[in-house]
């Protein structure tokens, strides 16, 4: 089972490092032909506008959407989660993206006052055990469609992780911690 990691921009090396530690084979995905060689895909954190433009430039949008529609598991962290949302708020709403999950990603939802922070929150899919969540200019997920299950909420109730069938979105960065449980969860999807 080869885990593709979209390697156009952002913190793809951290995901790669985490998967290497788990012992899962990885492949950096930059071109449509790379998609044929992977069984699942991670979209890293970074800058969603930039990654979106590069997805268009490398002709990846449609091939990627087709794979996901055919059932390939996909996980977006932070900018990756923004790229997976069908709707984007808190910035340019017309940025190129994959528009896969029935939800709105509200960009930079914590404002510039709070660029980054870490909290421990229980996560349903980890049996309710707490997970260290690292937020960096993070979005929150809003207007979840009925097919989308919220997996974690911050204290004020806003959703920071969600799943829709084979699609997983987290607003935080498990790849920047030493905790591999979220990666293992994705590998079981
Ligand atoms: N704020 C970034 C964006 O809108 C996401 C930040 C991140 O991935 N850490 O793309």
């Amino acid at each position: 089972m080869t885990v593709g990691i979209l390697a156009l921009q952002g913190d793809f090396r951290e995901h790669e490092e985490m998967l290497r530690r788990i012992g899962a084979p990885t492949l950096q995905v930059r071109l449509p032909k790379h998609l044929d060689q992977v069984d699942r895909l991670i979209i890293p954190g970074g800058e969603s506008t930039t990654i979106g433009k590069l997805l268009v430039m490398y002709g990846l949008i449609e091939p990627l959407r087709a794979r996901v529609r055919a059932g390939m598991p996909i996980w977006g962290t932070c900018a990756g989660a923004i790229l997976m949302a069908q709707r984007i708020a808190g910035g340019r709403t017309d940025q190129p993206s994959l528009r896969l999950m029935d939800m709105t990603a509200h960009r930079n939802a914590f404002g510039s006052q709070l660029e980054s922070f870490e909290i421990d929150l229980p996560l349903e899919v980890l049996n309710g055990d707490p997970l260290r969540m690292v937020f960096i200019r993070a979005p929150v997920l809003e207007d979840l469609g009925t097919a989308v299950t919220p997996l974690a909420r911050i204290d004020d109730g806003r959703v920071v992780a969600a799943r829709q069938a084979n699609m997983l979105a987290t607003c935080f960065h498990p790849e920047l911690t030493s905790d591999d449980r979220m990666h293992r969860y994705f590998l079981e999807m």
Side-chain angles (χ1 to χ4, degrees), residues 28-86:
Q28 293 189 1
V29 171
R30 292 197 174 82
L31 297 168
K33 66 176 183 195
H34 299 146
L35 275 180
D36 302 337
Q37 301 163 46
V38 304
D39 305 291
R40 51 190 69 228
L41 185 76
I42 292 176
I43 305 181
E47 172 44 56
S48 61
T49 314
T50 305
I51 298 175
K53 283 181 187 158
L54 292 169
L55 281 171
V56 172
M57 204 179 285
Y58 289 98
L60 274 163
I61 298 259
E62 282 315 316
L64 224 161
R65 287 173 56 89
R67 279 300 301 277
V68 175
R69 267 193 242 111
M72 179 182 74
I74 186 168
W75 174 22
T77 57
C78 203
I82 296 169
L83 287 158
M84 284 168 62
Q86 280 176 13

Side-chain angles (χ1 to χ4, degrees), residues 87 89 101-106 140-146 148 159:
R87 301 169 294 278
M101 290 177 71
D102 186 4
M103 62 187 188
T104 301
H106 193 139
V140 294
L141 309 176
E142 300 170 344
D143 303 322
L144 272 57
T146 49
V148 185
V159 175

Side-chain angles (χ1 to χ4, degrees), residues 3-7 12-13 16 26-31 34 38:
V3 185
I5 305 172
L6 189 70
F12 53 90
R13 286 183 195 85
E16 213 172 50
T26 61
L27 182 78
Q28 293 189 1
V29 171
R30 292 197 174 82
L31 297 168
H34 299 146
V38 304

Side-chain angles (χ1 to χ4, degrees), residues 44-49 77-80 82 95 107-108 135-139 171 173:
E47 172 44 56
S48 61
T49 314
T77 57
C78 203
I82 296 169
Q95 68 184 84
R107 290 181 68 185
N108 301 309
F135 293 88
I136 304 168
R137 295 185 304 285
C171 299
H173 294 270

